Amino acid sequence: MKLLALLSLLILMLQEAGTASLSKEEREEDQPYGEGDSYAVLHLGDYVLSLDNYDEIIDPSNYDELTDYGDQLPQVKGTGLASLTRTRFTQSTEVARTLPSNPMMARPPTLGLLAAPTKHGLPTCLICVCLGSSVYCDDTDLENIPPLPQTTAYLYARFNRISHIRAGDFKGLTKLKRIDLSGNSISSIDDKALRLLPALRDLILPENKLTALPALPTSIEVLDVRMNRLQSSGIQPEAFRALEKLQFLYLADNLLDAIPRSLPLSLRSLHLQNNMIETMQSDVFCDAEEHRHTRRQLEDVRLDGNPINLSLFPSAYFCLPRLPTGRFV
């Protein structure tokens, strides 16, 4: 009987002890960790890591389990100056072996005619404006005709400081139709500069310092040489005879003392105002022996601003459809 009572008491004590232990564990789980014991207990997956069993889980003395990155890192070796020099010399030698033996092949590629340098050291189409077949070089401080693309048909280089047109300035420009060099300081033009331009129609040269006309291509239709220093001695006697397409000839404001001879029948307008003309030949416009001859196309002849009295030469322009403009008294 006493043994049974003792066993019952022991069972009751064990139950109370288990309940108390369980309540303590529940309280510890519900209680938040303090700031000071953040490293006291670490929950890692299915096990608890604490400072007490840290050496059982990770053994710092066991380096065999650590990943070896030595094979993946570049090896750095000390290199002396002599070794570095030999390495660079070897690399330079290898590069030199790959270069072409022909010096012409080693030149850098050019950019074509558009890259031809001007006096400024820059390509023409950077100094000027190139639009299609037209090149605009107005007011760019040029002293010479710049290298031009082979496709150039219209050149405008007005208001510069060009003083001379050289023989090769327009060489090979077979498509060039118009040259406008107004407002420069051109005093001379080489006879070979324009003669071999088969497509040239308009030559515009006012406000320069020309004293003589160069040889001109037969394709010329418009010749404007106003406001120069052109003298009659600077125009060859047969300068205009072969220009069978010439329609507009502007020679005003020069130093001419005579009307040019051998004017082509194609001429429509002749401006000679403000020169020094005092007289004219009777056959300068008309054939004195052929009174039925007429020049119907030459309707615009200006001689105003000259000292000549046109009323003294009635037989000189009887074949013209209109009387010249000028002084008749």
Side-chain angles (χ1 to χ4, degrees), residues 1 4 31 46-47 53 69 75 88 90 96 106 133 146 148 156 163 208 231 241 245 247 307 314 322:
M1 188 66 179
L4 183 58
Q31 181 180 0
D46 297 333
Y47 57 88
N53 60 359
Y69 294 96
Q75 296 182 359
R88 291 183 176 178
T90 303
S133 59
L148 298 171
Y156 300 89
S163 60
N208 281 281
Q231 301 178 10
R241 180 182 294 277
K245 296 182 179 180
Q247 300 182 42
R322 295 182 181 177

Side-chain angles (χ1 to χ4, degrees), residues 228-259:
N228 276 265
R229 300 174 182 176
L230 197 61
Q231 301 178 10
S232 295
S233 60
I235 301 178
Q236 297 296 323
E238 303 295 320
F240 302 112
R241 180 182 294 277
L243 306 184
E244 297 179 354
K245 296 182 179 180
L246 182 62
Q247 300 182 42
F248 303 92
L249 179 58
Y250 302 130
L251 301 174
D253 298 282
N254 279 283
L255 302 175
L256 302 177
D257 57 10
I259 297 175

Side-chain angles (χ1 to χ4, degrees), residues 282-301:
S282 60
D283 60 347
V284 66
F285 296 120
C286 308
D287 186 352
E289 298 180 359
E290 183 59 60
H291 293 280
R292 291 179 298 177
H293 172 257
T294 60
R295 301 188 63 148
R296 297 186 180 277
Q297 297 189 49
L298 187 55
E299 297 182 349
D300 180 22
V301 178

Side-chain angles (χ1 to χ4, degrees), residues 18 28 33-34 67 105 127 129 134 137 160 176 195 234 247 278:
E28 290 177 354
Y33 300 118
T67 304
M105 297 177 61
I127 297 295
V129 177
S134 300
C137 301
N160 286 286
L176 192 57
R195 187 175 55 189
Q247 300 182 42
E278 296 182 355

Side-chain angles (χ1 to χ4, degrees), residues 43-57:
H43 291 273
L44 301 175
D46 297 333
Y47 57 88
V48 178
L49 175 64
S50 66
L51 296 178
D52 296 334
N53 60 359
Y54 180 81
D55 56 348
E56 297 177 1
I57 299 174

